Amino acid sequence: MSVAPLVRRPLGCLKTSLRQARQQRTTIRNMATETTASNSTSAPALEHGFFRLTDRKTKTLRSAFAVYPSTAKPAAPAGAPKTLLPPPKNPLEALHAAQIKKMDPTGVRTALFSKSNREGAKVGDILLVTHRRGGEPFAGVLLSIRRRGIDSAILLRNHLSKVGVEMWYKIYNKNVAGIEIVKRKPKRARRARLTYMRKPKHDMGSVDEIVNAWRRNRRVFTTGKPRKGGKRPAAAAAAGKK
Amino acid sequence: MIQLKTMLNCIDNSGAAVVECAMIVGQKRHASIGDRIVVVVQKQRPSAGEGMGGSSSSKVKRGDMRHAVVVRTKQRVQRRDGSVIKFDDNACVLINRAGDPIGSRVNGVVGQELRKKKWSKILSMAPMQA
């Protein structure tokens, strides 16, 4: 970077520098398309190649200038000019779908809280959430379901030693080993969020007795052998596989 | 969100029932689960042997200034895995200056954040943690 000519002829220098910048930008663009092309050929075919995170084995990083997802036709002629591609249609939706597929390959978690599933968990049911990292499983009344794609979460409320406790759990969290429906609400709740259950008049209190009774009943129907970790009856709407 | 003048339940058997926050120790923002605070005892727990000993079982008196550790908050506390916990009340456990609990037992659930903040003595005294 020479400073002297800049002082002497500021305008002309600005012009040249701008020109240089423009040239650089064009080269960067070309480089970007190159990298995408190479990516599309080398990476394994996935419906959203874009949303794959860094591969831990190969340690390949995504280029910051690449355009995703690659919609380049494979049969493009070699000598054809390479151009920037238009952005994907609905990138966020596709990202959520890809992430959910990664976190919940079997689809049980999605099914348990989907609106269309009649057997799924509804607001007002009593659920039991089991952790993978030890700790006591947390049971409580389902107060609300927060549907936000991969960030979907449920709100459970219970009383532990006479103190009301509320927990939000992400349903696609890998640490959440299982979510089981202990008891269904006999009548469908007419609200989407049962925040009124925090009031003393409507508070259910502790659900531990109901959960314990359900545990005892379940033991009657099984063979009596001690359960292996993570294995659950299929009817209990277990979520999460090894 | 424990700050100046917040009233907390005291859930140990030190003799205090309700305490008021007077200061947050070591930080300039509101206190959360596992943070150390200075409290003033506002209400004493009625002792079991009322007639003979008076306040023999209670180790603190009304008006005493003590240190305490917050163990439950009404304010939601988020964990690393995205789960959030919220209790229905604000509660604390009294400690001395060295950090040892004044009472000998804790009645009630405490937050798991105490583990991260190294309050293992209070955790071992608590009947359950959430």
Side-chain angles (χ1 to χ4, degrees), chain B residues 54-70:
Chain B
S55 60
S56 62
S57 67
S58 68
K59 291 165 183 163
V60 295
K61 288 206 302 286
R62 188 172 167 275
D64 270 7
M65 218 170 200
R66 300 283 176 162
H67 280 224
V69 179
V70 181

Side-chain angles (χ1 to χ4, degrees), chain A:
Chain A
M1 282 294 178
S2 59
V3 187
L6 214 155
V7 178
R8 227 180 299 136
R9 282 171 44 199
L11 254 184
C13 200
L14 194 67
K15 218 170 182 178
T16 47
S17 61
L18 277 177
R19 196 178 298 139
Q20 268 183 353
R22 212 175 301 137
Q23 275 177 350
Q24 276 177 355
R25 205 179 304 140
T26 49
T27 51
I28 284 166
R29 281 192 178 191
N30 286 341
M31 280 163 66
T33 39
E34 288 285 358
T35 49
T36 38
S38 65
N39 271 358
S40 62
T41 49
S42 64
L46 222 122
E47 53 253 57
H48 303 293
F50 155 60
F51 301 113
R52 293 195 53 206
L53 303 175
T54 319
D55 196 355
R56 281 183 191 159
K57 280 173 191 161
T58 57
K59 303 264 185 201
T60 47
L61 277 169
R62 293 197 281 114
S63 164
F65 301 100
V67 182
Y68 303 101
S70 169
T71 53
K73 290 174 185 110
K82 289 164 184 171
T83 54
L84 284 171
L85 298 161
K89 263 288 154 56
N90 196 344
L92 208 60
E93 207 167 90
L95 169 65
H96 277 173
Q99 282 179 327
I100 287 172
K101 195 163 186 206
K102 192 182 167 193
M103 300 305 283
D104 182 25
T106 50
V108 280
R109 291 168 193 240
T110 314
L112 185 58
F113 293 102
S114 90
K115 277 182 184 171
S116 54
N117 184 7
R118 293 177 68 87
E119 303 294 312
K122 294 282 185 291
V123 167
D125 296 350
I126 293 172
L127 301 190
L128 179 75
V129 174
T130 320
H131 269 268
R132 182 150 292 155
R133 294 253 176 88
E136 247 183 52
F138 187 85
V141 193
L142 182 59
L143 291 194
S144 73
I145 306 171
R146 196 165 174 271
R147 294 192 170 89
R148 300 284 189 283
I150 186 75
D151 285 329
S152 297
I154 54 171
L155 176 60
L156 301 183
R157 182 185 168 84
N158 193 7
H159 277 234
L160 297 176
S161 63
K162 292 177 190 169
V163 177
V165 182
E166 285 177 20
M167 286 284 294
W168 279 102
Y169 283 106
K170 302 277 181 200
I171 64 173
Y172 295 110
N173 186 355
K174 285 277 182 192
N175 286 343
V176 172
I179 302 173
E180 288 160 281
I181 302 175
V182 174
K183 192 186 170 193
R184 287 174 194 279
K185 193 175 167 71
K187 235 169 111 182
R188 181 184 69 88
R190 299 175 76 168
R191 299 279 178 280
R193 297 173 220 299
L194 309 184
T195 48
Y196 62 81
M197 295 193 80
R198 290 173 183 150
K199 291 182 182 169
K201 186 184 166 189
H202 299 278
D203 205 339
M204 266 184 103
S206 176
V207 299
D208 288 348
E209 278 185 25
I210 300 169
V211 174
N212 286 342
W214 170 75
R215 277 213 181 105
R216 256 178 272 127
N217 276 343
R218 199 175 52 165
R219 207 164 295 151
V220 169
F221 293 127
T222 53
T223 50
K225 285 177 193 167
R227 279 194 310 122
K228 294 276 162 60
K231 195 93 170 160
R232 279 167 218 301
K241 297 267 163 67
K242 254 277 136 106

Side-chain angles (χ1 to χ4, degrees), chain B residues 15-74:
Chain B
V18 178
V19 298
E20 181 189 300
C21 177
M23 200 184 89
I24 321 277
V25 177
Q27 61 181 32
K28 294 202 170 180
R29 50 182 299 190
H30 58 81
S32 183
I33 298 178
D35 288 344
R36 193 170 174 159
I37 58 175
V38 179
V39 297
V40 178
V41 178
Q42 298 283 16
K43 210 188 262 181
Q44 267 179 289
R45 209 174 282 280
S47 56
E50 192 70 62
M52 43 190 190
S55 60
S56 62
S57 67
S58 68
K59 291 165 183 163
V60 295
K61 288 206 302 286
R62 188 172 167 275
D64 270 7
M65 218 170 200
R66 300 283 176 162
H67 280 224
V69 179
V70 181
V71 294
R72 295 199 292 251
T73 57
K74 271 194 183 182

